[in-house]
Amino acid sequence: MRVIVQYIPPETSMDPSGSFSKGSGEIGVELLCVVKAVLKKIKRRVLVGDKVLVGSIDWVDRRGAIENVFQRKTEILDPPVANVDHLLVLFSMDQPKIEPFSLTRFLVEAESTGIPLTLALNKSELVSQEEIKAWKSRLRSWAYEPIFCSVDSKRGLDTLQFIMREQTSVIVGPSGVGKSSLINALRGNKHVLGAVEERNWFDPILGSKWFEEQRVGEVSVRSGRGKHTTRHVSLLPLPDGGYLADTPGFNQPSLIKVTKNSLAHHFPEIRKMLKDSAPAKCAFNNCLHLGEPGCLIKGDWERCSYYLQLLDEIKIREEFQ
Ligand code: GDP
């Protein structure tokens, strides 16, 4: 495997004159890198978004070798991206309408990654203010503050851009809600590049799609393995800083990381109810909130039936594992 690694300088590496006397002297150089055999041996995969150590740099041919992968803050598998800071869960107000159980599955999957999330509802120009108000108060009872947006009318796009600045984000949600349209609307054309210096600390950010495809084509011809067919993901620079994955994530939430004991933690309204009752606690540490003696969670919350449905699904999966 070869990957394109893009240098992102620490702020302090900037020469006050604005020029860079070391390294190749070029701003935002991208290097085509092989992954050293030692990493393959220990099965350290390089993901988009990883921070890596690059050695054996040939500045003229823009090649190098990835020698190490630094510890990841976060990792998601669909799409495979490391160090994601933010998930944008996107649904639409209409075409398709919000299906509350499906929304719950996406939210639980997103919560289970431990990555901060924002809930946004697209196509808001298609519905009335009353409908927006009703969903707002309904989702507040789920402990979410949704952002109502519309790619078509540009409503809310500034807010989303503001939230995503300086972060690496992935948009997740079912098909047809406008994820690709939103990615295109948010990305802008500016390719923000860093500067080069002789420290070999790099962030591998796959470059623009065009650049990536050029390089990948070149590699597959040389390696004789034919055309690269694996699913690609690139991080696109956002105009206000930060990166957005060009491929949306978990179209079908598998909830594979959710266990019967962790499920309740992925419902923020349960977390809130428990917090509000502190210092009182459920009598059992592993309380599943199914009416056990001394349980503080009563069954009078809207998503209780979804919680029970998901709990059944997870219990069955765990029994067969
Ligand atoms: P994805 O499957 O989630 O990536 O959705 P797409 O981006 O492919 O959009 C699905 C359809 O919704 C397309 O026909 C878009 O033009 C349309 N669409 C996207 N955003 C909006 C919006 O804000 N309002 C309306 N009315 N349609 C939109």
Side-chain angles (χ1 to χ4, degrees):
M1 183 180 85
R2 299 193 189 199
V3 290
I4 295 167
V5 172
Q6 184 189 64
Y7 182 59
I8 299 179
E11 301 243 314
T12 49
S13 73
M14 289 270 185
D15 178 322
S17 70
S19 64
F20 301 91
S21 52
K22 293 183 174 177
S24 74
E26 286 183 50
I27 290 177
V29 75
E30 286 167 306
L31 300 167
L32 183 62
C33 293
V34 292
V35 179
K36 284 228 159 156
V38 61
L39 287 182
K40 288 181 200 155
K41 239 184 239 164
I42 58 168
K43 297 207 164 87
R44 293 290 301 273
R45 254 190 352 139
V46 181
L47 296 183
V48 171
D50 262 327
K51 292 188 183 215
V52 295
L53 181 66
V54 176
S56 315
I57 297 174
D58 174 346
W59 293 111
V60 178
D61 280 350
R62 299 191 172 186
R63 281 166 194 268
I66 295 179
E67 295 178 349
N68 207 351
V69 180
F70 294 104
Q71 195 169 12
R72 296 173 183 141
K73 275 191 299 191
T74 60
E75 177 184 331
I76 60 169
L77 301 174
D78 180 21
V81 186
N83 299 314
V84 173
D85 305 304
H86 174 241
L87 292 175
L88 181 72
V89 179
L90 190 72
F91 269 64
S92 58
M93 292 299 293
D94 204 359
Q95 300 176 15
K97 280 200 176 302
I98 302 172
E99 206 282 285
F101 184 58
S102 163
L103 175 56
T104 296
R105 285 191 81 95
F106 272 92
L107 289 170
V108 167
E109 182 85 333
E111 295 270 359
S112 75
T113 64
I115 299 168
L117 69 87
T118 301
L119 171 60
L121 300 170
N122 190 31
K123 308 195 190 183
S124 62
E125 92 287 356
L126 294 178
V127 298
S128 66
Q129 280 306 315
E130 284 67 41
E131 202 168 333
I132 288 178
K133 263 194 200 155
W135 268 108
K136 196 176 206 169
S137 78
R138 187 167 176 187
L139 291 169
R140 271 192 182 154
S141 79
W142 300 12
Y144 289 102
E145 276 299 333
I147 292 169
F148 293 88
C149 65
S150 161
V151 174
D152 275 17
S153 75
K154 300 202 167 16
R155 173 185 183 170
L157 299 193
D158 283 356
T159 312
L160 292 178
Q161 214 143 15
F162 183 77
I163 291 170
M164 290 186 182
R165 76 199 184 286
E166 306 302 337
Q167 307 206 66
T168 297
S169 298
V170 174
I171 299 183
V172 303
S175 97
V177 298
K179 297 183 298 296
S180 310
S181 311
L182 183 61
I183 290 168
N184 288 334
L186 290 173
R187 61 188 278 192
N189 292 325
K190 223 164 81 180
H191 194 152
V192 184
L193 295 172
V196 181
E197 53 147 16
E198 267 180 354
R199 287 172 47 161
N200 292 346
W201 294 77
F202 289 79
D203 270 340
I205 306 289
L206 296 186
S208 68
K209 232 185 159 101
W210 175 83
F211 191 84
E212 184 199 348
E213 278 166 8
Q214 290 273 317
R215 294 299 183 119
V216 169
E218 190 186 326
V219 172
S220 49
V221 171
R222 276 163 191 257
S223 66
R225 270 190 252 119
K227 248 196 136 20
H228 209 295
T229 51
T230 52
R231 190 178 168 203
H232 267 101
V233 51
S234 303
L235 292 180
L236 306 165
L238 291 169
D240 292 340
Y243 290 88
L244 176 60
D246 70 342
T247 309
F250 41 91
N251 213 313
Q252 298 286 333
S254 64
L255 307 185
I256 205 75
K257 286 193 172 170
V258 185
T259 64
K260 74 175 189 305
N261 287 315
S262 72
L263 181 65
H265 302 291
H266 307 319
F267 282 76
E269 63 272 56
I270 296 188
R271 297 200 300 262
K272 185 171 181 304
M273 286 186 268
L274 292 174
K275 197 171 156 208
D276 290 348
S277 343
K281 284 182 178 170
C282 289
F284 299 107
N285 272 342
N286 58 355
C287 185
L288 292 179
H289 315 302
L290 299 173
E292 295 94 327
C295 173
L296 295 177
I297 306 295
K298 306 288 164 251
D300 57 353
W301 47 294
E302 189 200 333
R303 292 201 296 169
C304 185
S305 62
Y306 302 155
Y307 170 73
L308 296 176
Q309 215 171 315
L310 291 179
L311 196 60
D312 278 347
E313 179 185 320
I314 292 164
K315 275 181 177 169
I316 291 169
R317 190 194 67 213
E318 287 182 356
E319 268 170 36
F320 284 93
Q321 263 171 359

